[in-house]
Amino acid sequence: MNNASPQDFVRDNTTLTTTPLLPEVKLHLATEVTPLWQATEETLAATNLPPPYWAFAWPGGQAVARLLLDRPELVAGKSVLDFAAGTGLVGIAAMKAGAARAQSCDIDRFALTAIALNADANGVEVKAVSADLVGRGLPGIDVVLAGDVCYEKPMADRVTGWLRGIAATGTLVLLGDPGRAYVPRSGIEKVASYTVPTSLELEDRETRETVVWRLLPEA
């Protein structure tokens, strides 16, 4: 990364483009996986830089975003949290669907930069939040959206347990899942499903059948 700012690094390693499922939303995305992964790996030891999840529109997030644009009543006029936001796609879609406000949360500082750049590219205001919210209450949040958080068991267990508690307060919690191994098997309700075009480099297949689930308070 040398001395490039986070903004320059994001711009230099991505292209402002759209995905087939979401032509309404422009994102700074990596068009090739390997060069960006190598660029981050080269500076990992020096900067403790995590993998560049923020540079890809993962299928779970795409499905949630598509649902919001198709059914804006889910978020219209509401306060929304886009959890583990990556690109900020879901928060951006929420604002395009008429949310009163959206926060996109991620612990990666480059994700926070990408969120800001992507929100600006779409002409919406999304607050980028750098915090580990798991275990905390979410007062004032009406809807929690999580794009793809069940790919590792420790994280899936920790996050879904927390989100069930949030759902018990009356908050709508939606999970986008492209068939990850650790999505809950009970206490979920199907809201919608989409066939999401994917990269062979990322998902080893050209499409993923992706479901948006409502997480219920009790398993």
Side-chain angles (χ1 to χ4, degrees), residues 27-201:
L27 297 171
H28 288 84
L29 299 176
T31 54
E32 294 181 83
V33 175
T34 304
L36 179 58
W37 227 270
Q38 289 176 339
T40 55
E41 285 178 348
E42 286 166 6
T43 58
L44 185 61
T47 63
N48 195 30
L49 197 62
Y53 296 118
W54 49 265
F56 305 97
W58 301 92
Q62 288 198 55
V64 174
R66 183 70 265 162
L67 173 66
L68 301 184
L69 294 173
D70 291 344
R71 294 182 53 190
E73 71 276 6
L74 291 169
V75 293
K78 297 178 180 178
S79 179
V80 172
L81 174 69
D82 171 16
F83 175 73
T87 62
L89 164 61
V90 173
I92 291 166
M95 291 303 293
K96 283 181 169 284
R101 62 193 64 84
Q103 300 178 50
S104 288
C105 176
D106 205 289
I107 57 175
D108 182 346
R109 63 192 174 101
F110 284 89
L112 301 177
T113 297
I115 290 163
L117 291 173
N118 289 333
D120 184 65
N122 287 279
V124 297
E125 183 175 343
V126 174
K127 182 179 180 181
V129 177
S130 174
D132 183 355
L133 297 177
V134 179
R136 303 187 194 181
L138 297 176
I141 297 295
D142 303 308
V143 183
V144 178
L145 307 165
D148 195 340
V149 295
C150 295
Y151 52 88
E152 292 179 343
K153 190 176 191 307
M155 179 179 180
D157 290 347
R158 180 170 177 251
V159 169
T160 55
W162 167 61
L163 289 177
R164 283 199 196 281
I166 298 298
T169 69
T171 300
L172 175 64
V173 178
L174 298 176
L175 302 177
D177 179 68
R180 303 302 185 203
Y182 304 110
V183 69
R185 300 300 177 194
S186 61
I188 52 177
E189 178 181 271
K190 185 175 179 178
V191 178
S193 62
Y194 300 92
T195 301
V196 183
T198 59
S199 162
L200 286 171
E201 289 183 275

